[in-house]
Amino acid sequence: MDDRNKSSWITGLRGQPIAGYLGGRDNNLNLIRIVAASAVLVSHAFALTSGDVMNEPFRTSTGLSLGQFAVAIFFGMSGLLIARSFDRKQSLAHFLSARFLRLWPALTVVLVLTAFVLGPIVTSLPVAEYLLSGQTLAYVPRNLSLAFRHDFLPGVFAQNPDGASTNGSLWSLFYEVACYGGVVIAGYFGALRKGWRFLVLMVLVLAGHGWSVIAQPASGLFYRLDVLGFVGFPFVLGMAAYVWRNHLPLSLIGIGVSWGVVALLWGTIWLSSSVMLALIYTSLWLAFVPKSAALAYNRFGDFSYGVYIFAFPVQQSLIVFQPGHGPAFNMTVSGLVTFSLAYASWHLVEKRALALVRPAGDWLVGLRSSRQQASGKADEAVV
């Protein structure tokens, strides 16, 4: 072990406030996210090939699937990064442009490809009937809205073991954007810079999470609040890591304590919550503390989002073309296809869209300024 790696491991054992790691991009965040996205793919392979959502090792032992824990990691990392992004924003317009351009361009591509390229190939209906169906025509706009998600296309995947869901992963995007809204509200109330104000928000979110664990409503508005309580918990933990970044050390001792809490709560209804807490803290340590050859992964880019949104329809399609296979075959073959699509999506769509964040933000700021000036001149004219 060279001196640099030895120093990193010593620092990891003793702990250093997370603020010391947030200055640059010399981290493993991209690697952590791609591992989490891959875990969602692996988790879905069990349910999609068997038709039984309980046919997944993590769910039977902890109450949540590997995919749900992976989503929790996504939300935890997102809480930290989005809070930092808002706190350091050039303007609200630039912040909103960044969030829009990170999510919607690639989402538009996967929805269009699913509805109008994949759909006509795998549907059991005549192609003309499929293309003219109201469900087909509504698929892209409704899913782009996030709030009115429409997960079925006529005759598509209808005979698959897990049903006709076209892209079950997209459920989380609505709640992610809702959490972004929470960051904006928290930021404008000063909760990102005053710990005691953030503590009030955190208590409210923790109360909502506790209600979701205990109540677990099955449908309607309360179900959405339940899911928001579930994902809001890891997201607010990530926000907390940013707000208290000068006081929160990332250490091996902290990792040990967090997993010790998991052991203490094993067999209780709070087990999954404690696992999420431990996973997020461990992921933060792995993202920022080790400085090794893993950093070389950053050269490939951040195509974890592409893996997340492309994997499900690819896995369902594989079942259509090669029915009767098991989870291992599904995760292996669909993984190769998904990674290829995600890599292309990053370089052809997402990376180019993100390059437009600054000009889009500048344009919105200029548009608002022009309107304010025009309003001011109109007021002067009236006077």
Side-chain angles (χ1 to χ4, degrees):
M1 180 181 294
D2 58 33
D3 291 341
R4 184 182 178 186
N5 285 339
K6 182 177 180 181
S7 175
S8 296
W9 280 101
I10 292 174
T11 300
L13 180 62
R14 294 177 179 175
Q16 177 180 332
I18 194 172
Y21 299 104
L22 296 179
R25 297 187 177 184
D26 190 24
N27 58 60
N28 301 306
L29 280 168
N30 287 342
L31 182 59
I32 294 295
R33 285 192 288 247
I34 196 64
V35 170
S38 301
V40 174
L41 185 154
V42 169
S43 179
H44 285 161
F46 289 91
L48 292 178
T49 56
S50 68
D52 182 5
V53 295
M54 295 303 295
N55 184 32
E56 209 260 25
F58 277 81
R59 186 182 291 274
T60 55
S61 58
T62 66
L64 294 181
S65 68
L66 175 64
Q68 288 173 308
F69 284 125
V71 168
I73 292 174
F74 271 123
F75 273 82
M77 300 300 103
S78 185
L80 169 72
L81 297 174
I82 300 303
R84 182 181 67 166
S85 175
F86 184 87
D87 195 35
R88 299 167 58 182
K89 70 186 184 304
Q90 182 177 342
S91 69
L92 179 61
H94 287 85
F95 174 81
L96 295 177
S97 296
R99 305 284 64 79
F100 179 86
L101 290 170
R102 186 66 188 97
L103 293 182
W104 270 272
L107 176 62
T108 302
V109 170
V110 75
L111 291 175
V112 170
L113 289 177
T114 302
F116 299 109
V117 178
L118 177 63
I121 296 173
V122 300
T123 184
S124 58
L125 301 179
V127 173
E129 181 181 345
Y130 167 82
L131 290 174
L132 294 175
S133 168
Q135 285 186 317
T136 302
L137 297 175
Y139 183 80
V140 174
R142 288 194 62 175
N143 283 299
L144 284 177
S145 76
L146 303 187
F148 304 100
R149 193 167 71 92
H150 178 61
D151 197 30
F152 300 96
L153 287 168
V156 174
F157 305 144
Q159 303 303 316
N160 283 12
D162 196 49
S165 174
T166 56
N167 202 332
S169 297
L170 301 186
W171 69 268
S172 67
L173 299 184
F174 168 80
Y175 299 99
E176 185 168 351
V177 173
C179 288
Y180 294 168
V183 170
V184 173
I185 294 171
Y188 273 99
F189 278 97
L192 298 181
R193 298 191 175 185
K194 294 185 181 294
W196 67 269
R197 291 184 182 179
F198 180 77
L199 186 61
V200 173
L201 170 65
M202 191 168 183
V203 168
L204 291 174
V205 173
L206 291 179
H209 177 70
W211 172 79
S212 73
V213 171
I214 296 171
Q216 296 183 348
S219 62
L221 174 62
F222 287 110
Y223 172 75
R224 287 210 162 188
L225 292 174
D226 170 55
V227 177
L228 185 60
F230 165 72
V231 298
F233 173 61
F235 192 90
V236 82
L237 290 179
M239 290 179 66
Y242 178 75
V243 172
W244 291 311
R245 60 194 178 278
N246 293 313
H247 309 286
L248 176 66
L250 294 177
S251 68
L252 293 173
I253 293 175
I255 292 176
V257 170
S258 66
W259 288 103
V261 172
V262 172
L264 289 174
L265 294 177
W266 197 272
T268 72
I269 62 171
W270 306 108
L271 172 61
S272 59
S273 303
S274 66
V275 173
M276 282 192 280
L277 173 62
L279 280 173
I280 291 167
Y281 186 87
T282 303
S283 297
L284 288 172
W285 187 92
L286 289 171
F288 292 110
V289 177
K291 308 294 182 184
S292 64
L295 291 171
Y297 174 80
N298 290 330
R299 293 179 298 180
F300 296 101
D302 180 16
F303 55 97
S304 57
Y305 179 54
V307 170
Y308 185 75
I309 62 175
F310 275 99
F312 200 97
V314 170
Q315 291 180 275
Q316 285 279 61
S317 299
L318 182 61
I319 294 171
V320 172
F321 296 123
Q322 187 68 40
H325 64 259
F329 181 86
N330 186 273
M331 65 182 71
T332 301
V333 177
S334 62
L336 292 173
V337 176
T338 298
F339 270 67
S340 300
L341 291 171
Y343 186 79
S345 175
W346 168 252
H347 287 284
L348 298 178
V349 180
E350 298 163 58
K351 189 176 181 180
R352 296 183 182 189
L354 290 174
L356 300 176
V357 169
R358 184 176 295 276
D362 291 344
W363 179 78
L364 289 172
V365 169
L367 182 64
R368 181 184 180 189
S369 177
S370 298
R371 288 182 175 178
Q372 289 176 337
Q373 290 177 1
S375 178
K377 290 180 181 179
D379 290 342
E380 289 177 3
V382 171
V383 173

